[in-house]
Every structure is written in C-alpha cells, then in structure tokens.
Amino acid sequence: MTPRKTGRISLLAAVSAAALMGMAVVSTAQADDPGPISPLEVDAKKAELGKRLFFDPRLSGDGELSCSSCHQPEKGFTDGQALSDAYAGSLGFRNVPTLINTAMREAWFHDGRLGTNLNDVTRESITETYNMNMDMRLMQERLKQDPVYVKMFKEAGYGEPSNGSVRKAIPEYLKTLTSRGAPFDKGEMSEAAQAGYELFKGKAGCVQCHSGNRFTDDQPHNIGTPENPEIFKDPLRHITYVTFTKFLGVENYMNLRRDVGAYVRAHPSDRSTVGSFMTPTLRELKQTGPYMHNGMFNTLFEVVAFYNQGGGEDPNKDPLIQPLGLTFEEEKNLVAFLEALSGDVLTGPEFVPDEIDTDYQPIANWRKTPN
C-alpha cells in the first residue's frame, strides 16, 4: 500500500498564479475556509477486523510484510524513509504516502493511477509483486486456518474469510484514520503560524492547490521536483521501476531515467503530464517526512525554500509555479503554519491491535472441514 509525502508541491503553484496575474490570490478556498476533518461513519466490527488484517504479515507472500511494515502509525502511517522498502529481492522507487485521511481521496498513489475506491487500492497493494506479492487464494486459505479470523469474519457479517471481505474490511479500518487535534483546528496557532496562514492564502498562494479541509485539490501538478538518482543507480530500485512502467504500458521504459508520474493515467500523446504528481495533503507533515513523491527534501524548510525559488526545471512545469519572493522570516512563518496542521499521533488501541497470536493448532484434514 503506498509522505510519504509531502505537501509541498502545490505550495508554489498557488503562488504563481497570483504573480502572473499581478494581483493578490483570491481563491474559492478562501471563501470556503478549511476546517477540521469530520470523522467518517464506520462499522465497528468490520473496522476491528480490518485493523487486525492491516497489521498481519500473513497477508504477504512470504509472511514477512504487513501493510503496517510501510505504513507505521508512529510515523503518520509512512515509513520515515526517502524511498520505500519493498518485497524481498526488490526496493521501492517512491516515498510512502500517509494513509491518514486516505479514505477521503479521489485518486490514490502519487501518480493518481487508481481513481475508483480503496477496495481496488487494497487489492493492488496486497497482490503486486514488489509490494506484498500475495496470491489472494492462498491468503484466503491462511485466514481460514486461524480460529480468531473465522470468528471475526462471522461477527462482522462476512461469513467465512474470503478475498472480497478482506478488500472491504481493510478500507473500513482506513476510514478510522482521520486527522484530529491540530492547533489549526483548535484555534491554537502561534503568532508565527497565523502569519504563515496569511501568506498561505495570499502572497505564497499555496491555497490554489492545497485547498479544502485536507489541503489538496486531488489533482496532478508538475512543480519540477528533482529526480532521486537512487531510483536509477540502485538495481533493486530500478528493476522495480522497470516492472512498474512496463506493466502500465509506458513507452521506452528501459531507457527512462525519470519518474513519469501521472502520465500513466491517460498516456497523452504530447507527454504533457510526464513529471506530474498528485497534490499531497498538508495534514500531519510533522510525522511524515521526508517529503515529495521521491523523498528529495528532508525538512519543511527545504520544501518552502524550493517553492520560494520557483520550483525546479521541467519542460512540463505548471506555469503557476513562479518565484515567491518570500523573506527568510516569511519562510519560517509558513513552516510554522504547516506544522500547525499536524495533530495527534494515531497510535492508541483504536488504531493498533494487540499482538496477533498465531499459536493455534492447524485444522486437521482442513480441506474437508467446513468453517
């Protein structure tokens, strides 16, 4: 399942529009001020089952990885690395995105390649060879062997353990991961953060892309983020990227030395979307560094400085991305505001299960034993 992060991207985007138009940025988001994230309605028993499944390594092919191996609660459901780990024998080529508020997204993964629902995201994350590499028929049989799962699936109204129910239960758990307790939401921002919020809405123009309660427009933008050379220098990462691009029908994939990003969504003939990535949420940034889709920036100061200089170089760069002209003091205030969007760490028992007990006896003659 895949800030990490980073909320940086669109900071600039917003800014530039204002600069180009020679006027202060006045966006619809200002008229509709963002606020706290409203909790989603959740089926408690289905979510409890999904929580156990999320932390269970038996859902990976070799029993070594669970969803929580990369999406760790104490790190805002990221892994704290620039680039992710992957299934044994490979390494990842993207930064792990946070799963907090993910149930409210319109498209998933940094490139937005899945725009359907979390059921499909769960399936891809469990079955993809470089992620958890699980045959879901095998997964189903493993779950049927565990009497705790047999009981939990039944109590959740799913009947016996099945592939389809796993793909419903994990998203139900993900619906519980909503932001809460941020100084911005509680009206407890420092003076620096308040000044940063005014920059965010005005001079810096970040609000043009980072809008709404999650501070994202759920759209791809190209801000010229520098490539992470490790993706192409490390054979274990490069082979993963080659596998990914080949499967998604990207042309000339063996010679690529850049991440094509949201290009995979529609493959436009003019390749105008190469290098675009989904606007990340700005929620929980204090927990989810390094930042950007490839982890190229370790701190929020680096992110803000990048936007302040007008982003990076790219022929497809969004014209909204222009130098901001922020002073050092203004950069600090903007960082203070971004930090004020981080709230409680979701590590309590409602988010993390007790230790998963696997000390049970195999079912005798299980092929002929009904659940």
Side-chain angles (χ1 to χ4, degrees), residues 190-204:
S190 65
E191 290 187 8
Q194 293 178 44
Y197 186 35
E198 294 305 313
L199 291 166
F200 184 87
K201 296 184 293 182
K203 182 177 180 180

Side-chain angles (χ1 to χ4, degrees), residues 224-252:
T225 304
E227 294 293 332
N228 188 330
E230 289 303 312
I231 298 171
F232 308 101
K233 288 168 54 179
D234 188 332
L236 293 184
R237 297 193 189 281
H238 191 211
I239 192 62
T240 307
Y241 182 64
V242 167
T243 300
F244 168 80
T245 50
K246 179 181 180 181
F247 178 75
L248 290 176
V250 177
E251 309 84 351
N252 198 27

Side-chain angles (χ1 to χ4, degrees), residues 56-198:
D56 194 335
R58 289 174 291 177
L59 267 64
S60 63
D62 62 358
E64 291 291 329
L65 294 174
S66 68
C67 306
S68 64
S69 297
C70 292
H71 297 286
Q72 302 164 20
E74 66 276 15
K75 296 174 181 174
F77 287 81
T78 70
D79 68 357
Q81 303 181 95
L83 300 173
S84 70
D85 292 330
Y87 195 76
S90 62
L91 288 171
F93 59 91
R94 297 249 175 93
N95 182 271
V96 175
T98 181
L99 294 184
I100 298 176
N101 309 317
T102 193
M104 303 165 193
R105 293 184 63 167
E106 295 181 4
W108 289 267
F109 300 108
H110 286 298
D111 49 31
R113 64 183 180 275
L114 274 181
T116 50
N117 51 55
L118 280 174
N119 186 311
D120 288 338
V121 174
T122 300
R123 172 190 48 75
E124 173 164 334
S125 299
I126 292 176
T127 60
E128 183 57 66
T129 55
Y130 49 78
N131 287 335
M132 296 171 72
N133 193 29
M134 170 55 90
D135 182 324
M136 296 192 86
R137 295 166 298 183
L138 174 59
M139 175 190 71
Q140 177 174 292
E141 294 309 318
R142 285 182 183 175
L143 298 179
K144 285 182 177 179
Q145 292 279 341
D146 185 338
V148 174
Y149 275 129
V150 171
K151 182 173 184 289
M152 293 183 76
F153 273 82
K154 184 177 182 180
E155 291 180 345
Y158 290 135
E160 67 177 24
S162 68
N163 302 337
S165 297
V166 169
R167 294 166 56 185
K168 294 175 182 175
I170 290 178
E172 197 69 18
Y173 163 67
L174 296 178
K175 288 165 61 178
T176 70
L177 307 180
T178 54
S179 293
R180 61 205 69 189
F184 174 79
D185 298 325
K186 296 191 295 184
E188 298 177 355
M189 290 199 295
S190 65
E191 290 187 8
Q194 293 178 44
Y197 186 35
E198 294 305 313

Side-chain angles (χ1 to χ4, degrees), residues 11-77:
L11 278 183
L12 288 195
V15 178
S16 355
L20 290 173
M21 299 171 66
M23 54 187 291
V25 174
V26 178
S27 74
T28 54
Q30 283 178 291
D32 185 16
D33 282 338
I37 303 286
S38 299
L40 297 174
E41 186 175 343
V42 173
D43 183 304
K45 290 189 175 180
K46 289 181 171 62
E48 189 68 15
L49 170 61
K51 180 173 67 176
R52 191 173 196 255
L53 291 165
F54 186 87
F55 287 84
D56 194 335
R58 289 174 291 177
L59 267 64
S60 63
D62 62 358
E64 291 291 329
L65 294 174
S66 68
C67 306
S68 64
S69 297
C70 292
H71 297 286
Q72 302 164 20
E74 66 276 15
K75 296 174 181 174
F77 287 81

